[in-house]
């Protein structure tokens, strides 16, 4: 399942993050790429500093506070986030993300766009499946969550600058189909509660969800 989370970060917060990013030092993104991805990766990443960590901590907080993210990803743990920058001519060719990063299994990948799409050309995230390639370029503050199992790339930037925060989730629910069932159930549980309160139907649905989590969760 792929999901766009609109407004993960508010417009005011995006401006704060973007301005903070202007003052950070950036290094070559190849440093964090696997052996094969390194050959196609040409971007910059913010170098470690307390200021960078403050920016990334704000994004991490937004993720933790997003009910939609929690429902779709069911995070067990997040990898350290990366603030990436693509300037004119920079790109990230077709690759699959490493299966294990820093001791975590990568089930889901995400990209939070920090620049408005009118301010740069190119720079779309293109996710390929067997049927088609989807091109994703979101408003500043919006995030795409997608399975780490996919081949994907970032198109070359031809004008302006593309800033994004990327990261990976190890989910409590390893199987993507099971995750989607629980995501749908979350919405049904909420809808039934809103319509009927704690009715017998609500109780049965809530019991079903809890017991599926018991069956599937890895803690
Ligand atoms: Ni990737």
């Amino acid at each position: 399942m792929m999901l766009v989370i609109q407004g993960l970060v508010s417009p005011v917060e995006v401006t704060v993050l973007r301005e903070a990013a202007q003052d950070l030092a950036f290094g070559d993104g190849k440093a964090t790429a696997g052996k094969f991805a390194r050959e196609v990766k040409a971007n910059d990443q913010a170098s470690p500093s307390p200021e960078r960590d403050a920016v990334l901590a704000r994004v991490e907080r937004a993720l933790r506070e997003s009910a939609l993210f929690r429902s779709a990803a069911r995070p067990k743990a997040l990898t350290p986030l990366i603030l990436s920058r693509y300037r004119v001519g920079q790109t990230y060719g077709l690759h699959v993300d490493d299966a294990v990063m820093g001791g975590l299994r990568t089930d889901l990948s995400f990209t939070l766009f920090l620049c408005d799409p009118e301010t740069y050309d190119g720079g779309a995230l293109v996710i390929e499946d067997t049927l088609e390639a989807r091109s994703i370029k979101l408003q500043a503050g919006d995030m795409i969550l997608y399975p780490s199992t996919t081949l994907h790339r970032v198109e070359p930037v031809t004008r302006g600058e593309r800033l994004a925060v990327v990261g990976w989730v190890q989910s409590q629910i390893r199987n993507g189909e099971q995750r989607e069932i629980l995501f749908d159930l979350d919405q049904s549980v909420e809808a039934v509660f809103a319509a009927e309160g704690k009715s017998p139907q609500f109780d049965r649905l809530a019991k079903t969800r809890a017991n599926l989590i018991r069956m599937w969760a890895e803690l």
Side-chain angles (χ1 to χ4, degrees), residues 178-209:
Q178 293 171 344
R179 263 199 315 273
E180 187 166 343
I181 289 169
L182 294 173
F183 178 72
D184 289 342
L185 268 176
D186 281 348
Q187 298 185 40
S188 298
V189 165
E190 293 291 333
V192 169
F193 188 78
E196 303 176 7
K198 204 176 157 310
S199 65
Q201 286 82 346
F202 170 83
D203 283 343
R204 204 158 41 237
L205 204 54
K207 175 185 159 195
T208 301
R209 176 177 62 175

mmCIF file of all heavy atoms in Angstrom, residues 178-209:
data_model
loop_
_atom_site.group_PDB
_atom_site.id
_atom_site.type_symbol
_atom_site.label_atom_id
_atom_site.label_comp_id
_atom_site.label_asym_id
_atom_site.label_seq_id
_atom_site.Cartn_x
_atom_site.Cartn_y
_atom_site.Cartn_z
ATOM 1 N N GLN A 178 -1.327 -7.752 5.511
ATOM 2 C CA GLN A 178 -1.883 -7.718 6.873
ATOM 3 C C GLN A 178 -1.939 -6.276 7.393
ATOM 4 O O GLN A 178 -2.915 -5.867 8.024
ATOM 5 C CB GLN A 178 -1.041 -8.588 7.807
ATOM 6 C CG GLN A 178 -1.142 -10.083 7.452
ATOM 7 C CD GLN A 178 -0.152 -10.935 8.219
ATOM 8 O OE1 GLN A 178 0.813 -10.433 8.800
ATOM 9 N NE2 GLN A 178 -0.365 -12.240 8.193
ATOM 10 N N ARG A 179 -0.894 -5.518 7.076
ATOM 11 C CA ARG A 179 -0.891 -4.102 7.496
ATOM 12 C C ARG A 179 -2.073 -3.362 6.903
ATOM 13 O O ARG A 179 -2.718 -2.548 7.554
ATOM 14 C CB ARG A 179 0.407 -3.425 7.052
ATOM 15 C CG ARG A 179 1.479 -3.355 8.094
ATOM 16 C CD ARG A 179 2.532 -2.315 7.793
ATOM 17 N NE ARG A 179 2.984 -2.315 6.432
ATOM 18 C CZ ARG A 179 3.973 -3.062 5.940
ATOM 19 N NH1 ARG A 179 4.625 -3.883 6.736
ATOM 20 N NH2 ARG A 179 4.316 -2.978 4.678
ATOM 21 N N GLU A 180 -2.369 -3.669 5.632
ATOM 22 C CA GLU A 180 -3.480 -2.970 4.973
ATOM 23 C C GLU A 180 -4.820 -3.360 5.593
ATOM 24 O O GLU A 180 -5.713 -2.515 5.758
ATOM 25 C CB GLU A 180 -3.471 -3.277 3.466
ATOM 26 C CG GLU A 180 -4.498 -2.459 2.707
ATOM 27 C CD GLU A 180 -4.286 -2.477 1.203
ATOM 28 O OE1 GLU A 180 -3.185 -2.842 0.742
ATOM 29 O OE2 GLU A 180 -5.241 -2.126 0.488
ATOM 30 N N ILE A 181 -4.978 -4.634 5.952
ATOM 31 C CA ILE A 181 -6.216 -5.068 6.619
ATOM 32 C C ILE A 181 -6.410 -4.290 7.928
ATOM 33 O O ILE A 181 -7.498 -3.786 8.217
ATOM 34 C CB ILE A 181 -6.170 -6.592 6.892
ATOM 35 C CG1 ILE A 181 -6.311 -7.354 5.564
ATOM 36 C CG2 ILE A 181 -7.257 -7.007 7.881
ATOM 37 C CD1 ILE A 181 -6.016 -8.849 5.667
ATOM 38 N N LEU A 182 -5.338 -4.142 8.691
ATOM 39 C CA LEU A 182 -5.434 -3.431 9.972
ATOM 40 C C LEU A 182 -5.688 -1.938 9.765
ATOM 41 O O LEU A 182 -6.428 -1.314 10.537
ATOM 42 C CB LEU A 182 -4.166 -3.655 10.802
ATOM 43 C CG LEU A 182 -3.957 -5.101 11.269
ATOM 44 C CD1 LEU A 182 -2.601 -5.246 11.941
ATOM 45 C CD2 LEU A 182 -5.072 -5.533 12.218
ATOM 46 N N PHE A 183 -5.102 -1.411 8.702
ATOM 47 C CA PHE A 183 -5.336 0.009 8.369
ATOM 48 C C PHE A 183 -6.816 0.231 8.060
ATOM 49 O O PHE A 183 -7.444 1.167 8.565
ATOM 50 C CB PHE A 183 -4.458 0.374 7.166
ATOM 51 C CG PHE A 183 -4.629 1.785 6.676
ATOM 52 C CD1 PHE A 183 -4.148 2.850 7.413
ATOM 53 C CD2 PHE A 183 -5.251 2.038 5.456
ATOM 54 C CE1 PHE A 183 -4.284 4.155 6.951
ATOM 55 C CE2 PHE A 183 -5.393 3.347 4.989
ATOM 56 C CZ PHE A 183 -4.908 4.406 5.740
ATOM 57 N N ASP A 184 -7.396 -0.658 7.247
ATOM 58 C CA ASP A 184 -8.826 -0.547 6.928
ATOM 59 C C ASP A 184 -9.679 -0.720 8.187
ATOM 60 O O ASP A 184 -10.654 0.003 8.399
ATOM 61 C CB ASP A 184 -9.224 -1.600 5.885
ATOM 62 C CG ASP A 184 -8.656 -1.294 4.506
ATOM 63 O OD1 ASP A 184 -8.261 -0.139 4.269
ATOM 64 O OD2 ASP A 184 -8.602 -2.213 3.666
ATOM 65 N N LEU A 185 -9.299 -1.691 9.001
ATOM 66 C CA LEU A 185 -10.071 -1.945 10.226
ATOM 67 C C LEU A 185 -10.044 -0.743 11.162
ATOM 68 O O LEU A 185 -11.045 -0.418 11.788
ATOM 69 C CB LEU A 185 -9.506 -3.168 10.950
ATOM 70 C CG LEU A 185 -10.132 -4.520 10.602
ATOM 71 C CD1 LEU A 185 -9.389 -5.629 11.342
ATOM 72 C CD2 LEU A 185 -11.613 -4.553 10.973
ATOM 73 N N ASP A 186 -8.880 -0.084 11.251
ATOM 74 C CA ASP A 186 -8.789 1.121 12.093
ATOM 75 C C ASP A 186 -9.872 2.119 11.697
ATOM 76 O O ASP A 186 -10.548 2.712 12.540
ATOM 77 C CB ASP A 186 -7.422 1.807 11.923
ATOM 78 C CG ASP A 186 -6.322 1.123 12.718
ATOM 79 O OD1 ASP A 186 -6.628 0.270 13.563
ATOM 80 O OD2 ASP A 186 -5.139 1.450 12.462
ATOM 81 N N GLN A 187 -10.045 2.292 10.387
ATOM 82 C CA GLN A 187 -11.013 3.282 9.924
ATOM 83 C C GLN A 187 -12.439 2.823 10.188
ATOM 84 O O GLN A 187 -13.307 3.624 10.541
ATOM 85 C CB GLN A 187 -10.765 3.575 8.445
ATOM 86 C CG GLN A 187 -9.366 4.163 8.314
ATOM 87 C CD GLN A 187 -9.010 4.612 6.941
ATOM 88 O OE1 GLN A 187 -9.831 5.185 6.235
ATOM 89 N NE2 GLN A 187 -7.789 4.357 6.562
ATOM 90 N N SER A 188 -12.675 1.510 10.035
ATOM 91 C CA SER A 188 -14.015 0.992 10.322
ATOM 92 C C SER A 188 -14.337 1.099 11.812
ATOM 93 O O SER A 188 -15.461 1.452 12.193
ATOM 94 C CB SER A 188 -14.128 -0.465 9.867
ATOM 95 O OG SER A 188 -13.947 -0.533 8.476
ATOM 96 N N VAL A 189 -13.359 0.799 12.644
ATOM 97 C CA VAL A 189 -13.567 0.900 14.096
ATOM 98 C C VAL A 189 -13.940 2.343 14.462
ATOM 99 O O VAL A 189 -14.897 2.589 15.202
ATOM 100 C CB VAL A 189 -12.290 0.446 14.850
ATOM 101 C CG1 VAL A 189 -12.325 0.879 16.310
ATOM 102 C CG2 VAL A 189 -12.122 -1.065 14.750
ATOM 103 N N GLU A 190 -13.200 3.293 13.899
ATOM 104 C CA GLU A 190 -13.488 4.710 14.166
ATOM 105 C C GLU A 190 -14.878 5.101 13.666
ATOM 106 O O GLU A 190 -15.627 5.797 14.353
ATOM 107 C CB GLU A 190 -12.443 5.612 13.477
ATOM 108 C CG GLU A 190 -11.036 5.513 14.039
ATOM 109 C CD GLU A 190 -10.906 6.096 15.427
ATOM 110 O OE1 GLU A 190 -11.684 7.004 15.770
ATOM 111 O OE2 GLU A 190 -10.032 5.616 16.184
ATOM 112 N N ALA A 191 -15.218 4.649 12.454
ATOM 113 C CA ALA A 191 -16.500 5.035 11.848
ATOM 114 C C ALA A 191 -17.677 4.443 12.624
ATOM 115 O O ALA A 191 -18.680 5.130 12.865
ATOM 116 C CB ALA A 191 -16.539 4.579 10.390
ATOM 117 N N VAL A 192 -17.545 3.188 13.020
ATOM 118 C CA VAL A 192 -18.643 2.554 13.777
ATOM 119 C C VAL A 192 -18.782 3.234 15.131
ATOM 120 O O VAL A 192 -19.899 3.501 15.593
ATOM 121 C CB VAL A 192 -18.393 1.027 13.914
ATOM 122 C CG1 VAL A 192 -19.371 0.409 14.911
ATOM 123 C CG2 VAL A 192 -18.510 0.347 12.558
ATOM 124 N N PHE A 193 -17.670 3.568 15.748
ATOM 125 C CA PHE A 193 -17.745 4.245 17.055
ATOM 126 C C PHE A 193 -18.402 5.613 16.915
ATOM 127 O O PHE A 193 -19.233 6.002 17.740
ATOM 128 C CB PHE A 193 -16.357 4.373 17.678
ATOM 129 C CG PHE A 193 -16.408 4.876 19.091
ATOM 130 C CD1 PHE A 193 -16.758 4.022 20.126
ATOM 131 C CD2 PHE A 193 -16.122 6.201 19.388
ATOM 132 C CE1 PHE A 193 -16.826 4.474 21.441
ATOM 133 C CE2 PHE A 193 -16.189 6.664 20.692
ATOM 134 C CZ PHE A 193 -16.538 5.805 21.720
ATOM 135 N N ALA A 194 -18.038 6.324 15.829
ATOM 136 C CA ALA A 194 -18.618 7.654 15.618
ATOM 137 C C ALA A 194 -20.123 7.556 15.379
ATOM 138 O O ALA A 194 -20.892 8.414 15.824
ATOM 139 C CB ALA A 194 -17.930 8.339 14.432
ATOM 140 N N ALA A 195 -20.560 6.503 14.695
ATOM 141 C CA ALA A 195 -21.978 6.378 14.340
ATOM 142 C C ALA A 195 -22.804 5.788 15.479
ATOM 143 O O ALA A 195 -23.948 6.185 15.699
ATOM 144 C CB ALA A 195 -22.110 5.507 13.090
ATOM 145 N N GLU A 196 -22.218 4.843 16.206
ATOM 146 C CA GLU A 196 -23.039 4.053 17.143
ATOM 147 C C GLU A 196 -22.542 4.089 18.577
ATOM 148 O O GLU A 196 -23.203 3.545 19.462
ATOM 149 C CB GLU A 196 -23.028 2.569 16.705
ATOM 150 C CG GLU A 196 -23.502 2.334 15.283
ATOM 151 C CD GLU A 196 -23.379 0.858 14.878
ATOM 152 O OE1 GLU A 196 -23.049 0.018 15.749
ATOM 153 O OE2 GLU A 196 -23.617 0.562 13.698
ATOM 154 N N GLY A 197 -21.348 4.663 18.792
ATOM 155 C CA GLY A 197 -20.759 4.546 20.124
ATOM 156 C C GLY A 197 -20.330 3.110 20.356
ATOM 157 O O GLY A 197 -20.094 2.355 19.416
ATOM 158 N N LYS A 198 -20.268 2.765 21.641
ATOM 159 C CA LYS A 198 -19.741 1.439 21.979
ATOM 160 C C LYS A 198 -20.852 0.381 21.859
ATOM 161 O O LYS A 198 -21.289 -0.219 22.840
ATOM 162 C CB LYS A 198 -19.156 1.491 23.391
ATOM 163 C CG LYS A 198 -18.108 0.432 23.639
ATOM 164 C CD LYS A 198 -17.497 0.601 25.013
ATOM 165 C CE LYS A 198 -16.881 -0.693 25.517
ATOM 166 N NZ LYS A 198 -17.756 -1.857 25.412
ATOM 167 N N SER A 199 -21.263 0.145 20.629
ATOM 168 C CA SER A 199 -22.353 -0.792 20.338
ATOM 169 C C SER A 199 -21.815 -2.217 20.295
ATOM 170 O O SER A 199 -20.599 -2.432 20.259
ATOM 171 C CB SER A 199 -22.951 -0.440 18.977
ATOM 172 O OG SER A 199 -21.981 -0.652 17.962
ATOM 173 N N PRO A 200 -22.691 -3.235 20.240
ATOM 174 C CA PRO A 200 -22.210 -4.618 20.082
ATOM 175 C C PRO A 200 -21.367 -4.779 18.811
ATOM 176 O O PRO A 200 -20.360 -5.500 18.818
ATOM 177 C CB PRO A 200 -23.497 -5.429 19.985
ATOM 178 C CG PRO A 200 -24.519 -4.599 20.701
ATOM 179 C CD PRO A 200 -24.146 -3.175 20.448
ATOM 180 N N GLN A 201 -21.755 -4.100 17.721
ATOM 181 C CA GLN A 201 -20.953 -4.184 16.484
ATOM 182 C C GLN A 201 -19.561 -3.604 16.707
ATOM 183 O O GLN A 201 -18.565 -4.152 16.218
ATOM 184 C CB GLN A 201 -21.642 -3.406 15.335
ATOM 185 C CG GLN A 201 -22.842 -4.093 14.755
ATOM 186 C CD GLN A 201 -24.113 -3.848 15.596
ATOM 187 O OE1 GLN A 201 -24.045 -3.386 16.727
ATOM 188 N NE2 GLN A 201 -25.252 -4.175 15.028
ATOM 189 N N PHE A 202 -19.531 -2.477 17.423
ATOM 190 C CA PHE A 202 -18.229 -1.864 17.703
ATOM 191 C C PHE A 202 -17.357 -2.836 18.507
ATOM 192 O O PHE A 202 -16.187 -3.045 18.197
ATOM 193 C CB PHE A 202 -18.385 -0.547 18.474
ATOM 194 C CG PHE A 202 -17.073 -0.032 18.988
ATOM 195 C CD1 PHE A 202 -16.228 0.701 18.169
ATOM 196 C CD2 PHE A 202 -16.652 -0.338 20.281
ATOM 197 C CE1 PHE A 202 -14.992 1.121 18.634
ATOM 198 C CE2 PHE A 202 -15.419 0.081 20.746
ATOM 199 C CZ PHE A 202 -14.591 0.815 19.921
ATOM 200 N N ASP A 203 -17.948 -3.422 19.529
ATOM 201 C CA ASP A 203 -17.162 -4.324 20.389
ATOM 202 C C ASP A 203 -16.599 -5.501 19.591
ATOM 203 O O ASP A 203 -15.452 -5.893 19.776
ATOM 204 C CB ASP A 203 -18.037 -4.857 21.535
ATOM 205 C CG ASP A 203 -18.236 -3.818 22.620
ATOM 206 O OD1 ASP A 203 -17.455 -2.832 22.654
ATOM 207 O OD2 ASP A 203 -19.165 -3.968 23.421
ATOM 208 N N ARG A 204 -17.423 -6.041 18.676
ATOM 209 C CA ARG A 204 -16.968 -7.196 17.898
ATOM 210 C C ARG A 204 -15.835 -6.803 16.946
ATOM 211 O O ARG A 204 -14.866 -7.524 16.771
ATOM 212 C CB ARG A 204 -18.133 -7.798 17.124
ATOM 213 C CG ARG A 204 -17.930 -9.256 16.770
ATOM 214 C CD ARG A 204 -19.233 -9.988 16.488
ATOM 215 N NE ARG A 204 -20.156 -9.170 15.702
ATOM 216 C CZ ARG A 204 -21.393 -8.862 16.102
ATOM 217 N NH1 ARG A 204 -21.871 -9.292 17.239
ATOM 218 N NH2 ARG A 204 -22.165 -8.111 15.333
ATOM 219 N N LEU A 205 -16.010 -5.639 16.343
ATOM 220 C CA LEU A 205 -14.980 -5.160 15.410
ATOM 221 C C LEU A 205 -13.664 -4.871 16.149
ATOM 222 O O LEU A 205 -12.575 -5.232 15.683
ATOM 223 C CB LEU A 205 -15.506 -3.902 14.719
ATOM 224 C CG LEU A 205 -14.946 -3.511 13.370
ATOM 225 C CD1 LEU A 205 -15.053 -4.653 12.368
ATOM 226 C CD2 LEU A 205 -15.709 -2.283 12.840
ATOM 227 N N ALA A 206 -13.793 -4.240 17.295
ATOM 228 C CA ALA A 206 -12.596 -3.914 18.088
ATOM 229 C C ALA A 206 -11.906 -5.201 18.554
ATOM 230 O O ALA A 206 -10.668 -5.294 18.565
ATOM 231 C CB ALA A 206 -12.971 -3.041 19.283
ATOM 232 N N LYS A 207 -12.715 -6.199 18.910
ATOM 233 C CA LYS A 207 -12.149 -7.495 19.325
ATOM 234 C C LYS A 207 -11.409 -8.150 18.162
ATOM 235 O O LYS A 207 -10.295 -8.675 18.320
ATOM 236 C CB LYS A 207 -13.292 -8.395 19.812
ATOM 237 C CG LYS A 207 -12.881 -9.804 20.169
ATOM 238 C CD LYS A 207 -14.125 -10.641 20.509
ATOM 239 C CE LYS A 207 -13.853 -12.133 20.384
ATOM 240 N NZ LYS A 207 -15.091 -12.913 20.362
ATOM 241 N N THR A 208 -12.021 -8.109 16.984
ATOM 242 C CA THR A 208 -11.390 -8.694 15.794
ATOM 243 C C THR A 208 -10.046 -8.031 15.514
ATOM 244 O O THR A 208 -9.042 -8.702 15.261
ATOM 245 C CB THR A 208 -12.317 -8.526 14.575
ATOM 246 O OG1 THR A 208 -13.550 -9.170 14.858
ATOM 247 C CG2 THR A 208 -11.696 -9.107 13.314
ATOM 248 N N ARG A 209 -10.035 -6.695 15.575
ATOM 249 C CA ARG A 209 -8.779 -5.982 15.304
ATOM 250 C C ARG A 209 -7.715 -6.369 16.332
ATOM 251 O O ARG A 209 -6.581 -6.686 15.977
ATOM 252 C CB ARG A 209 -9.008 -4.470 15.338
ATOM 253 C CG ARG A 209 -7.714 -3.689 15.153
ATOM 254 C CD ARG A 209 -7.917 -2.207 15.107
ATOM 255 N NE ARG A 209 -8.487 -1.683 16.349
ATOM 256 C CZ ARG A 209 -8.672 -0.400 16.611
ATOM 257 N NH1 ARG A 209 -8.355 0.505 15.698
ATOM 258 N NH2 ARG A 209 -9.194 0.002 17.751
#
